[in-house]
Amino acid sequence: MGIGNRRLAELIRELVSDDGRLRETGSDRVEDWMNSYSPKEARFIAETLALMASFEESRECLEAQLHALSELDTADRIGVADLTPLRDIPDARVHVEHREYLEDLAPYLEKGAE
Protein backbone atom coordinates (compact mmCIF):
# COMPACT_ATOMS: atom_id res chain seq x y z
CA MET A 1 0.00 0.00 0.00
CA GLY A 2 1.40 3.45 0.81
CA ILE A 3 0.76 6.98 -0.34
CA GLY A 4 2.28 6.42 -3.78
CA ASN A 5 5.17 7.99 -5.60
CA ARG A 6 3.43 11.21 -6.61
CA ARG A 7 2.31 12.11 -3.06
CA LEU A 8 5.66 11.02 -1.66
CA ALA A 9 7.51 13.22 -4.17
CA GLU A 10 5.26 16.19 -3.34
CA LEU A 11 5.90 15.71 0.37
CA ILE A 12 9.65 15.37 -0.09
CA ARG A 13 9.69 18.55 -2.22
CA GLU A 14 8.13 20.40 0.71
CA LEU A 15 10.53 18.87 3.23
CA VAL A 16 13.59 19.98 1.24
CA SER A 17 12.27 23.33 -0.01
CA ASP A 18 14.35 26.50 0.21
CA ASP A 19 11.25 28.14 1.70
CA GLY A 20 11.13 27.65 5.49
CA ARG A 21 7.34 27.91 5.50
CA LEU A 22 7.09 24.99 3.07
CA ARG A 23 9.55 22.92 5.11
CA GLU A 24 7.48 23.56 8.21
CA THR A 25 4.21 22.80 6.42
CA GLY A 26 5.68 19.62 4.94
CA SER A 27 6.89 18.51 8.35
CA ASP A 28 3.42 19.11 9.76
CA ARG A 29 1.88 17.23 6.82
CA VAL A 30 3.88 14.10 7.66
CA GLU A 31 1.33 13.41 10.39
CA ASP A 32 -1.62 13.62 8.00
CA TRP A 33 -0.81 10.33 6.27
CA MET A 34 0.92 8.61 9.18
CA ASN A 35 -1.01 5.37 8.92
CA SER A 36 -0.81 5.25 5.13
CA TYR A 37 2.96 5.06 4.61
CA SER A 38 4.56 1.86 3.45
CA PRO A 39 7.62 0.91 5.52
CA LYS A 40 9.87 2.11 2.68
CA GLU A 41 8.07 5.47 2.45
CA ALA A 42 8.19 5.99 6.21
CA ARG A 43 11.91 5.21 6.30
CA PHE A 44 12.59 7.60 3.42
CA ILE A 45 10.58 10.39 5.07
CA ALA A 46 12.29 9.85 8.42
CA GLU A 47 15.74 9.94 6.85
CA THR A 48 14.87 13.10 4.89
CA LEU A 49 13.60 14.81 8.05
CA ALA A 50 16.74 13.84 9.99
CA LEU A 51 19.02 15.09 7.22
CA MET A 52 17.19 18.40 6.89
CA ALA A 53 17.09 18.89 10.67
CA SER A 54 20.86 18.45 10.83
CA PHE A 55 21.41 21.86 9.22
CA GLU A 56 18.06 23.59 9.80
CA GLU A 57 18.53 27.20 10.85
CA SER A 58 14.89 28.04 11.58
CA ARG A 59 13.95 27.30 15.17
CA GLU A 60 10.30 26.70 14.17
CA CYS A 61 11.19 24.40 11.27
CA LEU A 62 13.53 22.38 13.46
CA GLU A 63 10.77 21.93 15.99
CA ALA A 64 8.35 20.81 13.24
CA GLN A 65 10.92 18.36 11.83
CA LEU A 66 11.67 16.85 15.23
CA HIS A 67 7.98 16.70 16.06
CA ALA A 68 7.31 14.81 12.81
CA LEU A 69 10.09 12.36 13.63
CA SER A 70 8.68 11.93 17.12
CA GLU A 71 5.24 11.18 15.68
CA LEU A 72 6.76 8.63 13.28
CA ASP A 73 8.45 7.05 16.30
CA THR A 74 5.26 7.03 18.38
CA ALA A 75 3.43 5.34 15.49
CA ASP A 76 6.30 2.82 15.23
CA ARG A 77 6.96 3.92 11.64
CA ILE A 78 10.70 4.75 11.71
CA GLY A 79 11.82 1.16 11.30
CA VAL A 80 15.48 0.92 10.34
CA ALA A 81 15.77 4.54 9.22
CA ASP A 82 19.17 6.17 9.73
CA LEU A 83 18.62 9.18 11.98
CA THR A 84 22.31 9.73 12.72
CA PRO A 85 22.36 13.13 10.95
CA LEU A 86 20.56 14.43 14.06
CA ARG A 87 23.91 14.15 15.84
CA ASP A 88 25.13 17.03 13.65
CA ILE A 89 22.67 19.57 15.05
CA PRO A 90 24.87 22.13 16.80
CA ASP A 91 24.15 22.50 20.52
CA ALA A 92 23.63 26.23 20.00
CA ARG A 93 20.56 25.49 17.86
CA VAL A 94 19.01 23.03 20.30
CA HIS A 95 16.53 24.94 22.42
CA VAL A 96 14.34 23.77 25.26
CA GLU A 97 11.47 22.85 22.90
CA HIS A 98 13.81 20.57 20.93
CA ARG A 99 15.42 18.68 23.81
CA GLU A 100 12.57 16.31 24.62
CA TYR A 101 12.28 15.26 20.98
CA LEU A 102 16.00 14.58 20.76
CA GLU A 103 15.94 12.64 24.03
CA ASP A 104 13.09 10.48 22.71
CA LEU A 105 14.98 9.84 19.46
CA ALA A 106 18.30 9.07 21.21
CA PRO A 107 17.94 5.27 20.87
CA TYR A 108 18.03 5.64 17.08
CA LEU A 109 21.26 7.61 17.34
CA GLU A 110 22.83 4.98 19.59
CA LYS A 111 21.94 2.24 17.09
CA GLY A 112 23.83 4.12 14.40
CA ALA A 113 26.90 4.36 16.61
CA GLU A 114 27.37 0.59 16.74
Side-chain angles (χ1 to χ4, degrees):
M1 196 154 148
I3 62 171
N5 288 338
R6 182 173 302 274
R7 278 189 171 166
L8 180 61
E10 291 169 359
L11 180 58
I12 296 301
R13 274 190 211 109
E14 289 181 4
L15 295 177
V16 301
S17 175
D18 287 335
D19 183 338
R21 291 172 299 189
L22 281 177
R23 288 192 310 277
E24 191 173 349
T25 299
S27 297
D28 291 341
R29 189 181 321 278
V30 167
E31 231 179 305
D32 295 344
W33 300 325
M34 188 67 65
N35 295 319
S36 300
Y37 302 130
S38 70
K40 181 179 176 183
E41 291 167 346
R43 184 179 70 243
F44 189 66
I45 292 164
E47 290 179 351
T48 301
L49 285 164
L51 178 64
M52 295 304 292
S54 73
F55 57 88
E56 181 60 63
E57 293 183 9
S58 164
R59 187 172 177 165
E60 294 79 18
C61 285
L62 180 57
E63 183 175 8
Q65 291 159 339
L66 294 174
H67 177 76
L69 283 167
S70 178
E71 291 299 315
L72 285 166
D73 179 37
T74 299
D76 199 27
R77 306 294 291 156
I78 290 179
V80 297
D82 179 6
L83 304 187
T84 57
L86 294 177
R87 292 183 194 147
D88 297 333
I89 300 173
D91 289 337
R93 281 195 276 133
V94 177
H95 299 281
V96 67
E97 68 268 21
H98 305 132
R99 293 194 193 287
E100 186 174 337
Y101 295 125
L102 289 171
E103 288 170 5
D104 291 343
L105 296 167
Y108 295 101
L109 305 183
E110 292 166 9
K111 288 180 190 174
E114 295 173 353

